[in-house]
Amino acid sequence: MVSVMEIRGAESGDAAGVALLLGQLGYPAEEREVAERIGEWRDCALSCVLVAVDEGVAGVVALHAVPFFERAGRRGRVVCLVVDERVRGSGLGGRLLRAAEGDAERLGCVEVELTSARERVEAHGFYGRMGYRDRCGESARFLRLL
């Protein structure tokens, strides 16, 4: 398990560390762009970005609360969860995900969803252990680039 590591709202000064984590996940990003995104998400009442910090940023999770139209409430959507390679498997991912779920509840969410590329088999096992279930057999996902 990870020893005491602070989990807090992301700040612009965390951008370099978050950019490194995004690169580890396969999404290279410029520090300046990440700082802008952190600011946009911080200013959005239905979004949160949390970081786990020790000597630097060791993990990040971003969640947005999407209002349902067909019923009351919201669905929290985790759009990013990355833990630094050096501490993966330590329990930090679970702490980050639970912290994001807490924010989701605060934002009126009644459920949380996330997506994960099929080749990320280890991540799928983690999500299952965290209580998430794969629903791809129940619904389709369609995407159109604009």
Side-chain angles (χ1 to χ4, degrees), residues 27-146:
Y27 301 105
E30 297 291 324
E31 179 180 345
R32 176 189 54 74
E33 294 171 341
V34 173
E36 288 174 9
R37 287 183 218 144
I38 288 172
E40 287 175 19
W41 279 64
R42 188 181 53 234
D43 294 343
C44 178
L46 294 177
S47 299
C48 71
V49 180
L50 304 172
V51 290
V53 293
D54 52 13
E55 300 88 37
V57 178
V60 61
V61 62
L63 176 133
H64 183 72
V66 180
F68 291 115
F69 185 76
E70 72 282 6
R71 60 185 165 119
R74 296 183 173 113
R75 171 181 292 143
R77 175 141 173 76
V78 173
V79 299
C80 176
L81 175 60
V82 191
V83 172
D84 192 312
E85 295 168 340
R86 68 186 167 88
V87 292
R88 283 188 193 151
S90 67
L92 182 57
R95 287 184 57 209
L96 280 165
L97 193 53
R98 291 297 186 235
E101 291 169 350
D103 278 351
E105 285 185 281
R106 180 182 55 76
L107 293 169
C109 296
V110 296
E111 63 187 31
V112 175
E113 74 172 354
L114 52 82
T115 56
S116 180
R118 282 285 166 208
E119 65 268 12
R120 298 188 195 278
V121 177
E122 284 186 40
H124 301 167
F126 163 72
Y127 296 134
R129 290 188 301 278
M130 295 297 294
Y132 290 76
R133 74 182 174 92
D134 185 344
R135 295 191 54 202
C136 287
E138 299 171 29
S139 64
R141 179 176 179 214
F142 297 90
L143 178 69
R144 179 172 183 250
L145 299 179
L146 300 178

